[in-house]
Amino acid sequence: MTPSADAIVVGGGVIGKSVALALAERGAKVELFDASEGSEARRPATRAAAGILGAQMEAQADEPLARLCLESRARFEAFAKRIEAKSGRAVEYRASGVIVSAFDDASLEKLEGECAWQKKADLKLEKLDRAALRELEPELAEDAVGAIRFVDDARVDPRALLDALDQAIRAAGVTIRSARVRRILRDGATALGVEDESGARHAKHVVLAAGSWSTLVSETGLAETAVMPARGQMLELRARPGLLRGVVLAPDAYFSPRDDGRILVGSTVELVGFDDRVTAAAARDLLAAAVQRVPALAHASLSDSWAGLRPYTTDELPLIGPGTLDRLIFATGHFRNGVLLAPITAEIVADLIEGKPPAIDVGPFSPSRLARVA
Ligand SMILES: Cc1cc2nc3c(=O)[nH]c(=O)nc-3n(C[C@H](O)[C@H](O)[C@H](O)COP(=O)(O)OP(=O)(O)OC[C@H]3O[C@@H](n4cnc5c(N)ncnc54)[C@H](O)[C@@H]3O)c2cc1C
């Protein structure tokens, strides 16, 4: 039972691949198992994401998750550049800012109130009046009365990022196995490796990063409901490049532009199990919101649509760190912000495996809070 690797990573979405890269960069021999191909493919949420790096946009209060998001955003540009350099592929990281728009004065005032703590915490934001908003985003509907602009929030292309990460980890010597892990192998309270359909693989450490499917792996010690799929549906419209300059949120939809003129319009949050279909009703609602909030999109072509399964936890906090088993580290449950949180998650997991204290207190994200009750 000699370990074949220093670490086995279960899951090849943005979290698993970022963890694999961080570990390989620190000299570890890494094997990554991924089930995203084949007849019963578990398609990564990462490929469905809008790529909004909205640390301030998402922050409701000065809480641990907001701090985690801010720490990750601070690392994102360097992370993107490192992956581009290692893979030779562009990931379209853009420091575009994020605008949260309001369509009546009361909503604008409410937004401003919600952000008051951010100002006190010296986080950058601007209040835009109608004229300033039109100057920044001239195609936004005329009834937009103003907005809050989170200057340091950004965007990335999640599919390009995942493809580049794939190249980067291969270049760093990570072995990728296209297989579904069934269970964690253990000796008492210590994880020894994993078992897939072809047998057992042993490693000194195991990292569980299987997104929405994390609790389908047995013997992890997690409660069955610790991580659940939350479907998000998305439309892709093709318009002229630059129609929207940055990410824009409206009350009923958000818009995440790509350099080539595509605009992603999202999204729903639905607890409907592992159903990743696009429904007629959601497509109708998203299209209606798109044309109402950005009227020029009436002339755009509808180029694609998809749905993905966000790994949701009931307290909406990720699971990062050890649970009840020794040598098993969790990196899952990132819900709406897994792309944003990839750099900090990878750094924390690599630190924990090396036995170093992470840069940020991971207590609030402890998987033990969602352990199976014996
Ligand atoms: C519509 C939508 C919009 C979103 N927008 C944003 C956004 O703008 N910004 C943001 O930060 N986040 C966004 N998210 C959230 C983000 O996509 C997720 O939080 C993130 O992708 C989770 O990454 P992950 O690696 O944990 O999981 P996933 O990307 O789902 O990857 C999990 C991987 O594990 C594999 N797997 C599963 N079970 C096994 C097994 N037993 N053995 C081996 N492999 C297995 C799967 O095949 C898959 O490849 C969005 C999500 C959706 C659906």
Side-chain angles (χ1 to χ4, degrees):
M1 199 193 55
T2 320
S4 60
D6 295 313
I8 284 176
V9 177
V10 183
V14 70
I15 298 294
K17 285 188 171 152
S18 299
V19 167
L21 183 62
L23 288 170
E25 283 175 339
R26 296 188 193 195
K29 190 170 173 231
V30 183
E31 288 182 16
L32 180 138
F33 286 71
D34 187 44
S36 63
E37 282 171 10
S39 58
E40 289 175 59
R42 296 176 171 178
R43 293 185 292 150
T46 306
R47 296 197 81 82
I52 303 170
L53 307 175
Q56 280 177 253
M57 169 197 109
E58 286 278 344
Q60 309 296 331
D62 196 356
E63 301 170 330
L65 181 59
R67 290 283 147 198
L68 190 73
C69 288
L70 289 166
E71 288 282 338
S72 206
R73 188 188 68 184
R75 287 159 172 75
F76 215 101
E77 185 170 7
F79 172 72
K81 283 194 177 143
R82 223 169 73 228
I83 292 165
E84 288 186 333
K86 285 179 188 283
S87 66
R89 287 170 178 244
V91 305
E92 206 175 307
Y93 169 84
R94 299 287 177 262
S96 60
V98 169
I99 282 175
V100 182
S101 58
F103 289 77
D104 58 70
D105 293 332
S107 303
L108 186 57
E109 229 169 85
K110 186 164 171 265
L111 266 176
E112 209 184 356
E114 285 166 359
C115 300
W117 73 270
Q118 295 199 12
K119 274 197 167 165
K120 280 189 203 144
D122 275 339
L123 297 171
K124 265 198 243 166
L125 56 92
E126 294 168 349
K127 184 181 177 188
L128 306 177
D129 62 14
R130 190 187 289 266
L133 176 57
R134 285 201 72 70
E135 197 162 311
L136 265 183
E137 292 292 356
E139 296 297 345
L140 204 58
E142 286 186 1
D143 55 344
V145 299
I148 301 292
R149 178 163 189 259
F150 299 109
V151 182
D152 293 331
D153 280 349
R155 68 172 168 90
V156 71
D157 181 335
R159 291 186 185 178
L161 179 67
L162 195 61
D163 292 342
L165 268 169
D166 190 78
Q167 283 291 318
I169 62 174
R170 287 173 196 274
V174 174
T175 306
I176 301 180
R177 301 191 185 282
S178 188
R180 181 181 297 183
V181 166
R182 290 181 181 154
R183 71 181 178 104
I184 304 297
L185 297 174
R186 52 194 272 192
D187 179 11
T190 303
L192 301 177
V194 301
E195 183 188 272
D196 68 7
E197 52 266 36
S198 61
R201 304 286 302 178
H202 294 93
K204 294 179 194 152
H205 298 272
V206 178
V207 180
L208 188 74
S212 287
W213 301 270
S214 294
T215 67
L216 300 185
V217 176
S218 52
E219 310 276 334
T220 62
L222 280 186
E224 255 174 56
T225 54
V227 184
M228 291 176 275
R231 181 169 69 184
Q233 304 192 42
M234 187 87 80
L235 303 181
E236 182 193 89
L237 304 180
R238 195 168 280 275
R240 72 173 155 77
L243 184 103
L244 287 178
R245 295 171 185 175
V247 174
V248 176
L249 268 76
D252 36 18
Y254 61 71
F255 303 88
S256 185
R258 298 280 99 97
D259 288 355
D260 64 4
R262 283 174 299 144
I263 295 180
L264 307 193
V265 183
S267 183
T268 58
V269 180
E270 303 160 271
L271 295 174
V272 290
F274 290 97
D275 174 355
D276 64 356
R277 290 170 310 122
V278 174
T279 63
R284 172 201 62 200
D285 293 347
L286 289 170
L287 266 186
V291 174
Q292 185 188 347
R293 304 305 183 186
V294 185
L297 286 178
H299 309 289
S301 48
L302 174 57
S303 45
D304 206 347
S305 64
W306 59 80
L309 303 172
R310 303 177 189 86
Y312 164 78
T313 60
T314 47
D315 57 12
E316 301 191 9
L317 299 179
L319 281 70
I320 307 176
T324 49
L325 285 189
D326 199 22
R327 299 187 174 274
L328 172 64
I329 304 273
F330 293 88
T332 184
H334 291 76
F335 190 35
R336 284 204 304 254
N337 287 303
V339 179
L340 167 64
L341 289 170
I344 190 75
T345 303
E347 182 186 307
I348 291 171
V349 171
D351 282 345
L352 289 171
I353 285 180
E354 276 192 339
K356 283 195 202 157
I360 186 162
D361 171 24
V362 289
F365 314 115
S366 169
S368 304
R369 74 190 195 277
L370 297 171
R372 179 188 298 275
V373 181

mmCIF file of all heavy atoms in Angstrom, residues 26 205 320-322 329 347-358 362:
data_model
loop_
_atom_site.group_PDB
_atom_site.id
_atom_site.type_symbol
_atom_site.label_atom_id
_atom_site.label_comp_id
_atom_site.label_asym_id
_atom_site.label_seq_id
_atom_site.Cartn_x
_atom_site.Cartn_y
_atom_site.Cartn_z
ATOM 1 N N ARG A 26 4.275 23.598 -5.546
ATOM 2 C CA ARG A 26 5.073 23.467 -4.313
ATOM 3 C C ARG A 26 5.825 22.137 -4.259
ATOM 4 O O ARG A 26 6.304 21.712 -3.220
ATOM 5 C CB ARG A 26 4.159 23.604 -3.100
ATOM 6 C CG ARG A 26 3.547 24.982 -3.021
ATOM 7 C CD ARG A 26 2.800 25.165 -1.737
ATOM 8 N NE ARG A 26 1.956 26.344 -1.757
ATOM 9 C CZ ARG A 26 1.421 26.873 -0.663
ATOM 10 N NH1 ARG A 26 1.644 26.322 0.502
ATOM 11 N NH2 ARG A 26 0.649 27.939 -0.756
ATOM 12 N N HIS A 205 -2.368 12.487 1.001
ATOM 13 C CA HIS A 205 -3.491 13.390 1.293
ATOM 14 C C HIS A 205 -4.543 13.263 0.193
ATOM 15 O O HIS A 205 -4.193 13.003 -0.961
ATOM 16 C CB HIS A 205 -3.027 14.856 1.336
ATOM 17 C CG HIS A 205 -2.022 15.119 2.402
ATOM 18 N ND1 HIS A 205 -2.359 15.467 3.693
ATOM 19 C CD2 HIS A 205 -0.663 15.052 2.380
ATOM 20 C CE1 HIS A 205 -1.271 15.625 4.409
ATOM 21 N NE2 HIS A 205 -0.218 15.373 3.638
ATOM 22 N N ILE A 320 -13.934 24.508 3.558
ATOM 23 C CA ILE A 320 -12.501 24.541 3.257
ATOM 24 C C ILE A 320 -11.754 24.086 4.508
ATOM 25 O O ILE A 320 -11.888 24.691 5.564
ATOM 26 C CB ILE A 320 -12.013 25.960 2.860
ATOM 27 C CG1 ILE A 320 -12.865 26.542 1.726
ATOM 28 C CG2 ILE A 320 -10.543 25.920 2.442
ATOM 29 C CD1 ILE A 320 -12.519 27.981 1.347
ATOM 30 N N GLY A 321 -10.976 22.996 4.343
ATOM 31 C CA GLY A 321 -10.187 22.508 5.477
ATOM 32 C C GLY A 321 -10.530 21.072 5.806
ATOM 33 O O GLY A 321 -11.293 20.413 5.091
ATOM 34 N N PRO A 322 -9.982 20.566 6.912
ATOM 35 C CA PRO A 322 -10.240 19.177 7.285
ATOM 36 C C PRO A 322 -11.613 18.996 7.914
ATOM 37 O O PRO A 322 -12.160 19.940 8.488
ATOM 38 C CB PRO A 322 -9.139 18.883 8.323
ATOM 39 C CG PRO A 322 -8.747 20.215 8.868
ATOM 40 C CD PRO A 322 -9.049 21.246 7.825
ATOM 41 N N ILE A 329 -8.919 16.717 3.033
ATOM 42 C CA ILE A 329 -9.207 18.157 3.076
ATOM 43 C C ILE A 329 -10.350 18.436 2.104
ATOM 44 O O ILE A 329 -10.348 17.940 0.975
ATOM 45 C CB ILE A 329 -7.969 18.968 2.607
ATOM 46 C CG1 ILE A 329 -6.729 18.628 3.433
ATOM 47 C CG2 ILE A 329 -8.256 20.468 2.619
ATOM 48 C CD1 ILE A 329 -6.558 19.407 4.688
ATOM 49 N N GLU A 347 -4.613 28.251 -2.303
ATOM 50 C CA GLU A 347 -3.511 28.623 -1.392
ATOM 51 C C GLU A 347 -3.738 28.024 0.003
ATOM 52 O O GLU A 347 -2.823 27.459 0.602
ATOM 53 C CB GLU A 347 -3.442 30.152 -1.312
ATOM 54 C CG GLU A 347 -2.334 30.670 -0.447
ATOM 55 C CD GLU A 347 -2.413 32.196 -0.290
ATOM 56 O OE1 GLU A 347 -2.473 32.911 -1.307
ATOM 57 O OE2 GLU A 347 -2.428 32.659 0.866
ATOM 58 N N ILE A 348 -4.968 28.126 0.502
ATOM 59 C CA ILE A 348 -5.261 27.596 1.841
ATOM 60 C C ILE A 348 -5.044 26.085 1.886
ATOM 61 O O ILE A 348 -4.412 25.556 2.803
ATOM 62 C CB ILE A 348 -6.721 27.937 2.252
ATOM 63 C CG1 ILE A 348 -6.871 29.447 2.491
ATOM 64 C CG2 ILE A 348 -7.133 27.156 3.494
ATOM 65 C CD1 ILE A 348 -8.321 29.901 2.679
ATOM 66 N N VAL A 349 -5.562 25.386 0.876
ATOM 67 C CA VAL A 349 -5.438 23.914 0.883
ATOM 68 C C VAL A 349 -3.959 23.516 0.822
ATOM 69 O O VAL A 349 -3.506 22.635 1.564
ATOM 70 C CB VAL A 349 -6.241 23.295 -0.287
ATOM 71 C CG1 VAL A 349 -5.940 21.804 -0.425
ATOM 72 C CG2 VAL A 349 -7.736 23.518 -0.075
ATOM 73 N N ALA A 350 -3.200 24.194 -0.039
ATOM 74 C CA ALA A 350 -1.768 23.858 -0.143
ATOM 75 C C ALA A 350 -1.061 24.149 1.178
ATOM 76 O O ALA A 350 -0.215 23.367 1.630
ATOM 77 C CB ALA A 350 -1.132 24.629 -1.303
ATOM 78 N N ASP A 351 -1.411 25.254 1.838
ATOM 79 C CA ASP A 351 -0.812 25.566 3.142
ATOM 80 C C ASP A 351 -1.150 24.476 4.165
ATOM 81 O O ASP A 351 -0.286 24.009 4.897
ATOM 82 C CB ASP A 351 -1.327 26.918 3.671
ATOM 83 C CG ASP A 351 -0.642 28.101 2.988
ATOM 84 O OD1 ASP A 351 0.402 27.895 2.336
ATOM 85 O OD2 ASP A 351 -1.158 29.236 3.106
ATOM 86 N N LEU A 352 -2.413 24.088 4.212
ATOM 87 C CA LEU A 352 -2.828 23.086 5.203
ATOM 88 C C LEU A 352 -2.082 21.769 4.978
ATOM 89 O O LEU A 352 -1.638 21.123 5.933
ATOM 90 C CB LEU A 352 -4.349 22.857 5.125
ATOM 91 C CG LEU A 352 -5.218 24.017 5.633
ATOM 92 C CD1 LEU A 352 -6.691 23.782 5.298
ATOM 93 C CD2 LEU A 352 -5.053 24.208 7.148
ATOM 94 N N ILE A 353 -1.937 21.390 3.714
ATOM 95 C CA ILE A 353 -1.247 20.127 3.420
ATOM 96 C C ILE A 353 0.240 20.229 3.789
ATOM 97 O O ILE A 353 0.836 19.281 4.280
ATOM 98 C CB ILE A 353 -1.484 19.720 1.951
ATOM 99 C CG1 ILE A 353 -2.919 19.198 1.831
ATOM 100 C CG2 ILE A 353 -0.470 18.681 1.468
ATOM 101 C CD1 ILE A 353 -3.344 18.741 0.473
ATOM 102 N N GLU A 354 0.808 21.415 3.609
ATOM 103 C CA GLU A 354 2.224 21.609 3.986
ATOM 104 C C GLU A 354 2.407 21.801 5.494
ATOM 105 O O GLU A 354 3.522 21.958 5.963
ATOM 106 C CB GLU A 354 2.781 22.846 3.278
ATOM 107 C CG GLU A 354 3.263 22.553 1.869
ATOM 108 C CD GLU A 354 4.066 23.710 1.289
ATOM 109 O OE1 GLU A 354 3.942 24.861 1.753
ATOM 110 O OE2 GLU A 354 4.829 23.448 0.347
ATOM 111 N N GLY A 355 1.276 21.916 6.197
ATOM 112 C CA GLY A 355 1.358 22.110 7.645
ATOM 113 C C GLY A 355 1.607 23.553 8.049
ATOM 114 O O GLY A 355 2.027 23.825 9.175
ATOM 115 N N LYS A 356 1.368 24.495 7.111
ATOM 116 C CA LYS A 356 1.557 25.928 7.423
ATOM 117 C C LYS A 356 0.232 26.556 7.813
ATOM 118 O O LYS A 356 -0.802 26.196 7.240
ATOM 119 C CB LYS A 356 1.984 26.665 6.149
ATOM 120 C CG LYS A 356 3.385 26.510 5.726
ATOM 121 C CD LYS A 356 3.641 27.613 4.687
ATOM 122 C CE LYS A 356 4.800 27.294 3.794
ATOM 123 N NZ LYS A 356 4.721 28.007 2.529
ATOM 124 N N PRO A 357 0.235 27.556 8.701
ATOM 125 C CA PRO A 357 -1.039 28.237 8.979
ATOM 126 C C PRO A 357 -1.459 29.066 7.770
ATOM 127 O O PRO A 357 -0.647 29.820 7.235
ATOM 128 C CB PRO A 357 -0.711 29.138 10.178
ATOM 129 C CG PRO A 357 0.786 29.212 10.233
ATOM 130 C CD PRO A 357 1.359 28.063 9.467
ATOM 131 N N PRO A 358 -2.706 28.939 7.317
ATOM 132 C CA PRO A 358 -3.146 29.724 6.165
ATOM 133 C C PRO A 358 -3.207 31.218 6.472
ATOM 134 O O PRO A 358 -3.270 31.612 7.642
ATOM 135 C CB PRO A 358 -4.546 29.191 5.874
ATOM 136 C CG PRO A 358 -4.765 28.034 6.752
ATOM 137 C CD PRO A 358 -3.738 28.042 7.825
ATOM 138 N N VAL A 362 -9.643 29.883 8.764
ATOM 139 C CA VAL A 362 -10.609 29.063 8.040
ATOM 140 C C VAL A 362 -11.676 28.469 8.974
ATOM 141 O O VAL A 362 -12.530 27.706 8.520
ATOM 142 C CB VAL A 362 -9.946 27.944 7.195
ATOM 143 C CG1 VAL A 362 -9.222 28.534 6.015
ATOM 144 C CG2 VAL A 362 -9.009 27.076 8.024
#
